[in-house]
Amino acid sequence: MIITTILLIGLAYFIFNKPKTVVPKIIEKQVETALAFYPELHSTPIEFKFKKDINKSVMLAQPTLSSIFRKKEKRGYKILISEKFKITGKEFKTTEVPDDIMIGWLGHELGHVMDYQERSGLNLINFGIRYVLLKEHVKNAERAADSFAVRMGMAEYIIKTKRFILDHADIDEAYKNRIREFYLSPEEIMEMVKKRDSMND
Protein backbone atom coordinates (compact mmCIF):
# COMPACT_ATOMS: atom_id res chain seq x y z
CA MET A 1 0.00 0.00 0.00
CA ILE A 2 2.78 2.41 0.95
CA ILE A 3 4.73 1.55 -2.20
CA THR A 4 1.62 2.08 -4.35
CA THR A 5 1.01 5.46 -2.73
CA ILE A 6 4.61 6.52 -3.33
CA LEU A 7 4.39 5.44 -6.98
CA LEU A 8 1.14 7.37 -7.46
CA ILE A 9 2.63 10.49 -5.88
CA GLY A 10 5.70 10.14 -8.10
CA LEU A 11 3.55 9.71 -11.20
CA ALA A 12 1.43 12.74 -10.29
CA TYR A 13 4.57 14.80 -9.74
CA PHE A 14 5.90 13.77 -13.15
CA ILE A 15 2.63 14.60 -14.92
CA PHE A 16 2.02 17.97 -13.29
CA ASN A 17 5.59 19.15 -12.84
CA LYS A 18 7.30 17.96 -15.97
CA PRO A 19 9.50 20.65 -17.50
CA LYS A 20 7.81 22.96 -19.97
CA THR A 21 10.96 23.73 -21.89
CA VAL A 22 13.59 21.26 -23.10
CA VAL A 23 16.98 22.78 -23.89
CA PRO A 24 20.31 21.16 -24.84
CA LYS A 25 22.85 22.02 -22.16
CA ILE A 26 25.28 23.53 -24.66
CA ILE A 27 22.89 26.39 -25.57
CA GLU A 28 21.12 26.71 -22.23
CA LYS A 29 22.52 30.17 -21.48
CA GLN A 30 21.63 31.58 -24.92
CA VAL A 31 18.09 30.15 -24.80
CA GLU A 32 17.59 31.59 -21.32
CA THR A 33 18.67 35.03 -22.54
CA ALA A 34 16.39 34.92 -25.60
CA LEU A 35 13.38 33.66 -23.63
CA ALA A 36 13.81 36.48 -21.10
CA PHE A 37 12.55 38.86 -23.80
CA TYR A 38 9.34 36.81 -24.19
CA PRO A 39 7.51 36.70 -20.85
CA GLU A 40 4.35 35.68 -22.74
CA LEU A 41 6.03 32.36 -23.53
CA HIS A 42 7.01 31.62 -19.92
CA SER A 43 4.55 28.73 -19.58
CA THR A 44 4.63 27.62 -23.23
CA PRO A 45 6.19 24.16 -23.79
CA ILE A 46 9.08 24.58 -26.25
CA GLU A 47 11.61 21.92 -27.16
CA PHE A 48 14.92 23.16 -28.57
CA LYS A 49 16.39 20.31 -30.58
CA PHE A 50 19.46 19.88 -32.76
CA LYS A 51 19.02 18.31 -36.18
CA LYS A 52 21.67 17.22 -38.69
CA ASP A 53 20.37 19.48 -41.44
CA ILE A 54 17.50 21.89 -42.10
CA ASN A 55 16.74 22.75 -45.71
CA LYS A 56 17.60 26.39 -46.49
CA SER A 57 17.65 27.40 -42.82
CA VAL A 58 19.77 27.34 -39.68
CA MET A 59 16.72 27.13 -37.42
CA LEU A 60 13.05 26.25 -37.81
CA ALA A 61 10.15 26.83 -35.40
CA GLN A 62 6.99 24.75 -35.66
CA PRO A 63 4.06 23.62 -33.51
CA THR A 64 4.13 20.00 -32.39
CA LEU A 65 1.71 17.93 -34.47
CA SER A 66 0.01 16.50 -31.40
CA SER A 67 -0.88 19.95 -30.08
CA ILE A 68 -1.99 21.85 -33.19
CA PHE A 69 -5.68 21.57 -32.33
CA ARG A 70 -5.28 22.16 -28.61
CA LYS A 71 -6.23 25.47 -27.05
CA LYS A 72 -3.59 28.07 -27.85
CA GLU A 73 -2.38 28.24 -24.25
CA LYS A 74 -1.80 24.46 -24.23
CA ARG A 75 -0.05 24.18 -27.58
CA GLY A 76 3.58 23.02 -27.69
CA TYR A 77 6.37 23.95 -30.09
CA LYS A 78 9.72 22.74 -31.39
CA ILE A 79 12.63 24.89 -32.44
CA LEU A 80 14.91 22.78 -34.62
CA ILE A 81 18.54 23.88 -34.89
CA SER A 82 20.86 22.70 -37.63
CA GLU A 83 24.00 21.17 -36.15
CA LYS A 84 26.13 22.76 -38.87
CA PHE A 85 26.11 25.55 -41.43
CA LYS A 86 28.40 26.21 -44.37
CA ILE A 87 30.89 28.97 -45.01
CA THR A 88 32.68 28.75 -48.38
CA GLY A 89 31.73 25.11 -48.64
CA LYS A 90 33.19 24.22 -45.25
CA GLU A 91 30.92 23.08 -42.44
CA PHE A 92 31.02 24.74 -39.02
CA LYS A 93 29.18 23.84 -35.84
CA THR A 94 26.25 26.18 -35.19
CA THR A 95 27.18 26.20 -31.49
CA GLU A 96 30.50 27.84 -32.39
CA VAL A 97 28.93 31.14 -33.47
CA PRO A 98 29.25 34.05 -30.99
CA ASP A 99 26.64 34.08 -28.22
CA ASP A 100 24.92 37.26 -29.45
CA ILE A 101 24.44 35.72 -32.92
CA MET A 102 22.93 32.55 -31.46
CA ILE A 103 20.64 34.64 -29.24
CA GLY A 104 19.51 36.65 -32.28
CA TRP A 105 18.75 33.48 -34.25
CA LEU A 106 16.79 32.07 -31.30
CA GLY A 107 14.97 35.37 -30.82
CA HIS A 108 13.80 35.30 -34.42
CA GLU A 109 12.43 31.75 -34.00
CA LEU A 110 10.66 32.73 -30.80
CA GLY A 111 9.09 35.52 -32.86
CA HIS A 112 7.60 32.77 -35.03
CA VAL A 113 6.22 31.08 -31.91
CA MET A 114 4.56 34.36 -30.89
CA ASP A 115 3.01 34.55 -34.36
CA TYR A 116 1.79 30.93 -34.14
CA GLN A 117 0.25 31.58 -30.73
CA GLU A 118 -2.22 33.97 -32.35
CA ARG A 119 -3.43 31.38 -34.88
CA SER A 120 -6.01 28.60 -34.71
CA GLY A 121 -5.12 25.00 -35.56
CA LEU A 122 -6.69 25.22 -39.02
CA ASN A 123 -4.96 28.52 -39.65
CA LEU A 124 -1.60 26.94 -38.74
CA ILE A 125 -2.12 24.12 -41.23
CA ASN A 126 -3.04 26.63 -43.93
CA PHE A 127 -0.02 28.72 -42.89
CA GLY A 128 2.30 25.73 -43.36
CA ILE A 129 0.92 24.91 -46.80
CA ARG A 130 1.28 28.51 -47.98
CA TYR A 131 4.80 28.69 -46.55
CA VAL A 132 5.84 25.75 -48.71
CA LEU A 133 4.10 26.95 -51.87
CA LEU A 134 4.21 30.76 -51.88
CA LYS A 135 7.37 32.87 -51.75
CA GLU A 136 5.40 35.97 -50.80
CA HIS A 137 4.00 34.13 -47.78
CA VAL A 138 7.54 33.14 -46.73
CA LYS A 139 8.49 36.82 -46.84
CA ASN A 140 5.46 37.85 -44.78
CA ALA A 141 6.11 35.11 -42.20
CA GLU A 142 9.82 35.86 -41.78
CA ARG A 143 9.32 39.60 -41.56
CA ALA A 144 6.55 39.05 -39.01
CA ALA A 145 8.92 36.96 -36.85
CA ASP A 146 11.58 39.67 -37.07
CA SER A 147 8.98 42.29 -36.15
CA PHE A 148 7.86 40.34 -33.09
CA ALA A 149 11.49 40.04 -31.94
CA VAL A 150 12.10 43.75 -32.42
CA ARG A 151 8.92 44.68 -30.53
CA MET A 152 10.01 42.44 -27.66
CA GLY A 153 13.25 44.41 -27.36
CA MET A 154 15.62 42.16 -29.31
CA ALA A 155 16.55 44.62 -32.08
CA GLU A 156 20.23 44.71 -31.12
CA TYR A 157 20.54 40.93 -31.27
CA ILE A 158 18.56 40.63 -34.52
CA ILE A 159 20.72 43.28 -36.20
CA LYS A 160 23.92 41.57 -35.05
CA THR A 161 22.71 38.29 -36.54
CA LYS A 162 21.83 39.95 -39.85
CA ARG A 163 25.22 41.68 -39.96
CA PHE A 164 26.99 38.42 -39.16
CA ILE A 165 25.35 36.82 -42.19
CA LEU A 166 25.36 39.71 -44.65
CA ASP A 167 28.83 41.08 -43.84
CA HIS A 168 30.58 37.70 -43.61
CA ALA A 169 32.57 37.49 -46.86
CA ASP A 170 32.68 33.70 -46.82
CA ILE A 171 29.01 32.88 -46.20
CA ASP A 172 27.30 31.46 -49.26
CA GLU A 173 25.81 34.23 -51.43
CA ALA A 174 22.60 32.23 -52.00
CA TYR A 175 21.91 32.27 -48.24
CA LYS A 176 22.65 36.00 -48.07
CA ASN A 177 20.22 36.62 -50.92
CA ARG A 178 17.53 34.66 -49.06
CA ILE A 179 18.08 36.87 -46.00
CA ARG A 180 17.87 40.01 -48.15
CA GLU A 181 14.73 38.83 -49.94
CA PHE A 182 12.62 37.46 -47.10
CA TYR A 183 13.74 39.17 -43.87
CA LEU A 184 13.82 42.68 -42.46
CA SER A 185 17.07 44.47 -43.25
CA PRO A 186 19.17 46.01 -40.45
CA GLU A 187 18.13 49.44 -41.76
CA GLU A 188 14.42 48.56 -41.57
CA ILE A 189 14.89 47.28 -38.03
CA MET A 190 16.64 50.49 -36.96
CA GLU A 191 13.80 52.48 -38.51
CA MET A 192 11.26 50.43 -36.52
CA VAL A 193 13.18 51.17 -33.33
CA LYS A 194 13.28 54.90 -34.12
CA LYS A 195 9.52 54.98 -34.70
CA ARG A 196 8.89 53.05 -31.50
CA ASP A 197 11.14 55.33 -29.48
CA SER A 198 9.55 58.48 -30.94
CA MET A 199 6.10 57.22 -29.96
CA ASN A 200 7.30 56.65 -26.39
CA ASP A 201 8.77 60.16 -26.03
Side-chain angles (χ1 to χ4, degrees):
M1 181 67 178
I2 294 175
I3 294 176
T4 303
T5 303
I6 292 172
L7 288 173
L8 287 172
I9 291 172
L11 181 61
Y13 181 86
F14 174 78
I15 292 171
F16 294 108
N17 295 280
K18 60 184 178 182
K20 295 287 185 183
T21 299
V22 179
V23 185
K25 190 73 176 176
I26 195 168
I27 58 167
E28 198 170 53
K29 183 177 72 172
Q30 296 95 321
V31 169
E32 186 178 305
T33 300
L35 278 171
F37 287 91
Y38 291 90
E40 293 88 343
L41 300 178
H42 177 70
S43 60
T44 301
I46 304 174
E47 179 184 8
F48 296 81
K49 184 177 181 179
F50 282 103
K51 191 176 178 183
K52 283 191 175 182
D53 186 43
I54 301 172
N55 187 34
K56 297 181 181 179
S57 300
V58 174
M59 296 188 191
L60 175 67
Q62 58 189 29
T64 59
L65 288 175
S66 61
S67 72
I68 283 181
F69 291 106
R70 290 181 188 172
K71 292 180 179 178
K72 295 175 186 179
E73 61 272 16
K74 293 186 177 180
R75 195 180 291 147
Y77 300 89
K78 282 185 181 181
I79 292 181
L80 303 176
I81 305 164
S82 180
E83 292 178 355
K84 298 176 182 179
F85 66 98
K86 290 183 178 180
I87 297 179
T88 59
K90 296 180 181 178
E91 290 187 337
F92 293 84
K93 290 183 178 179
T94 304
T95 53
E96 292 176 350
V97 301
D99 284 354
D100 284 357
I101 308 307
M102 174 66 78
I103 291 165
W105 257 322
L106 292 166
H108 171 84
E109 297 307 320
L110 291 170
H112 278 300
V113 174
M114 289 288 289
D115 184 16
Y116 299 159
Q117 286 280 70
E118 297 182 353
R119 300 175 182 274
S120 67
L122 284 174
N123 185 279
L124 279 172
I125 291 173
N126 186 41
F127 177 95
I129 294 170
R130 285 182 292 155
Y131 192 93
V132 172
L133 298 177
L134 303 172
K135 290 181 73 173
E136 189 60 31
H137 183 67
V138 174
K139 182 175 181 178
N140 291 337
E142 299 302 345
R143 291 170 71 88
D146 273 345
S147 297
F148 270 111
V150 172
R151 287 201 296 271
M152 301 310 288
M154 294 200 73
E156 182 180 345
Y157 289 105
I158 301 298
I159 288 173
K160 282 183 178 180
T161 303
K162 307 287 186 199
R163 291 294 185 201
F164 174 80
I165 296 166
L166 297 174
D167 297 344
H168 201 303
D170 296 327
I171 286 182
D172 186 71
E173 197 62 31
Y175 185 54
K176 289 183 181 182
N177 287 336
R178 180 176 173 81
I179 296 299
R180 294 186 187 104
E181 182 177 2
F182 296 120
Y183 297 71
L184 290 177
S185 68
E187 293 74 22
E188 286 175 305
I189 292 171
M190 287 188 286
E191 190 61 33
M192 283 180 66
V193 173
K194 284 181 184 177
K195 286 182 180 179
R196 182 194 65 195
D197 291 347
S198 66
M199 290 176 65
N200 292 334
D201 287 343

